[in-house]
Amino acid sequence: MTSSFPGLGAPSFGFLQSTAWRAALALLVVFVMLAMTGWTAVRGSKDDANPLATARSAWEHASFRGHRLPDTDSAPGALAAFFRKLSRADRATLADRYPLVVGNMGGAPVDLRYQANKQALRQAGELERKRMHDRRLTPVGRREASRLMHRFASMRGPGRQILAFDPAGGGRAAEVFGDLRQARHVSVVVPGVDTNLATFERTARATSAPAGMAKSLYDAERSVRGGDSRTAVIAWADYTAPAGLGVGAATGQLAEAGAVRLNALVRALPKSASVSLMCHSYGSVVCGVAAHRLPSGVTDIAVAGSPGMRAETAAGLGTGARVWAMRNPDDWIQDVPYLEVGGLGHGADPVTEAFGSRVLSAAGAEGHAGYFVPGTESLRNFAKIGVGAVSSVDCAAQDRECSADLA
């Protein structure tokens, strides 16, 4: 084998000339560089305990009014039927006795889940209060406990509707804005890396956190609908997201697990509502993996700042939902290699013509976390999709006809 470069001999191993090898090496180098320059965050669990698993075990071995309680993995319809047979007092008793179980149970009445999660948050807050004064912990550990105690207090505040809460490890949560029971349109915000209980909400740059994203979208949807209350938005941080831009963010393992949970959420939503998924960053990987299993009630999947959706084309996602994509010009995600080799990377760029999505304008959005900022075209487009006004979206310059067939 001869070299194509003058003065250089043949390489020792032929596979070094493989396009796939070079692509994989380039991708690996990118993520190693990101990790070494501080992009990768280290997040460990405070202990090995899993309160939700313990609570579910207690539920599964218990009886109530002389009868065994239903399997927590039962279909939402079966669980809904179980709760319909109970009196209001009995429902409240179960929520008080097993708050983590009821609060995370698809099929349980949403108001009961909100009630149960307030109780679970109170209990978790008390535990963190004790940890704040535990001298066996490091100063960093005690500060983390203080931060979580205040976060849990905020999440159980007046008007908050916490649909899911799991304090294990980094923690998971979901919050509803609007009346989920009466909504005709439900939007689910699926966030990306470094999503956990500590980052679920922020005071500064609020719309870069899941709760702030969802609240901003809810306000924008109500504006589009002229104040119509029959819309709801869920801040869905109820999956284990990658910690920083390390190997977890470069592979699909966490997305696979997240997709299972996302499908479970969607299937527990009111059947009368149309559902849209608004997926940001690694959240778009989760949505891409989930796409082929989504029920027909999911009408739209819209992604922003996507590193890829684990597919080479929109058709390859295997969904009947409309697929939308947007990216602003200064989002650094565009510099991540759009390929998938040996499990690394997430496939083709969703905003390219070859992918085949409907490309939306993201005018006004800045950076990677600016898509839900009020006043941006990205937020307005998300809102229009969320309420079903898809024919009035603002298309990107490269896809002026993105909504032409929807008029």
Side-chain angles (χ1 to χ4, degrees):
M1 182 184 296
T2 59
S3 171
S4 59
F5 296 94
L8 295 180
S12 301
F13 301 98
F15 71 85
L16 289 177
Q17 291 189 331
S18 161
T19 300
W21 170 256
R22 289 198 300 271
L25 182 60
L27 186 66
L28 182 60
V29 168
V30 167
F31 282 99
V32 169
M33 290 177 65
L34 288 170
M36 292 179 66
T37 53
W39 281 98
T40 300
V42 177
R43 184 178 80 225
S45 62
K46 54 182 175 285
D47 53 47
D48 293 328
N50 189 326
L52 179 54
T54 301
R56 282 177 171 160
S57 178
W59 169 283
E60 289 164 2
H61 289 88
S63 61
F64 186 71
R65 304 298 189 202
H67 300 282
R68 291 292 302 273
L69 293 169
D71 192 322
T72 56
D73 292 326
S74 299
L79 292 170
F82 165 75
F83 281 102
R84 279 197 298 269
K85 295 176 182 178
L86 300 179
S87 68
R88 180 175 297 182
D90 283 348
R91 293 178 194 173
T93 297
L94 286 176
D96 186 65
R97 191 176 296 176
Y98 305 100
L100 277 175
V101 177
V102 176
N104 289 281
M105 185 174 282
V110 292
D111 287 345
L112 191 67
R113 291 180 68 173
Y114 301 156
Q115 174 188 334
N117 282 320
K118 282 187 180 295
Q119 170 76 343
L121 283 160
R122 185 192 64 76
Q123 293 176 355
E126 287 300 316
L127 178 61
E128 296 303 329
R129 184 187 298 277
K130 293 177 182 177
R131 284 168 49 80
M132 284 172 54
H133 305 289
D134 188 343
R135 292 299 170 182
R136 294 173 297 177
L137 298 179
T138 66
V140 171
R142 293 195 294 273
R143 284 195 297 272
E144 179 193 8
S146 175
R147 183 182 183 188
L148 286 174
M149 184 195 71
H150 288 96
R151 175 56 38 79
F152 298 159
S154 173
M155 290 174 67
R156 70 173 191 271
R160 301 294 292 267
Q161 299 179 142
I162 304 302
L163 187 68
F165 170 67
D166 180 0
R172 299 188 291 232
E175 181 172 9
V176 176
F177 296 87
D179 188 344
L180 189 58
R181 296 168 304 172
Q182 302 297 323
R184 292 184 179 179
H185 302 278
V186 178
S187 299
V188 181
V189 176
V190 185
V193 299
D194 284 331
T195 294
N196 53 52
L197 288 173
T199 61
F200 184 69
E201 59 188 32
R202 290 191 176 100
T203 301
R205 299 175 64 244
T207 57
S208 65
M213 291 177 180
K215 176 61 165 62
S216 182
L217 179 59
Y218 177 64
D219 291 342
E221 289 188 358
R222 284 175 56 82
S223 178
V224 170
R225 298 282 295 184
D228 189 337
S229 62
R230 288 171 293 182
T231 182
V233 179
I234 301 174
W236 190 76
D238 195 26
Y239 80 104
T240 300
L245 297 183
V247 174
T251 59
Q253 183 177 3
L254 292 174
E256 292 279 354
V260 172
R261 298 182 67 84
L262 179 58
N263 267 285
L265 167 81
V266 171
R267 293 179 185 280
L269 294 176
K271 296 295 185 286
S272 58
S274 63
V275 179
S276 302
L277 305 183
M278 313 303 186
C279 319
H280 177 244
S281 192
Y282 190 85
S284 68
V285 185
V286 177
C287 291
V289 174
H292 73 281
R293 295 191 292 265
L294 294 172
S296 59
V298 178
T299 58
D300 297 271
I301 302 173
V303 304
S306 174
M309 300 180 72
R310 308 294 289 186
E312 294 306 308
T313 64
L317 293 171
T319 178
R322 290 178 289 259
V323 180
W324 309 82
M326 67 175 85
R327 185 176 66 220
N328 74 68
D330 65 347
D331 188 337
W332 56 260
I333 201 73
Q334 64 191 307
D335 297 323
V336 171
Y338 283 94
L339 49 85
E340 190 279 322
V341 179
L344 286 172
H346 303 302
D349 185 347
V351 302
T352 60
E353 182 178 358
F355 189 81
S357 64
R358 301 168 185 267
V359 185
L360 297 162
S361 169
E366 297 180 354
H368 187 57
Y371 293 97
F372 290 84
V373 173
T376 59
E377 288 291 341
S378 52
L379 178 63
R380 280 192 288 269
N381 278 327
F382 273 143
K384 290 174 181 177
I385 291 169
V387 300
V390 292
S391 63
S392 64
V393 297
D394 295 298
C395 301
Q398 71 265 36
D399 188 8
R400 292 296 189 189
E401 304 300 315
C402 75
S403 62
D405 60 334
L406 303 177

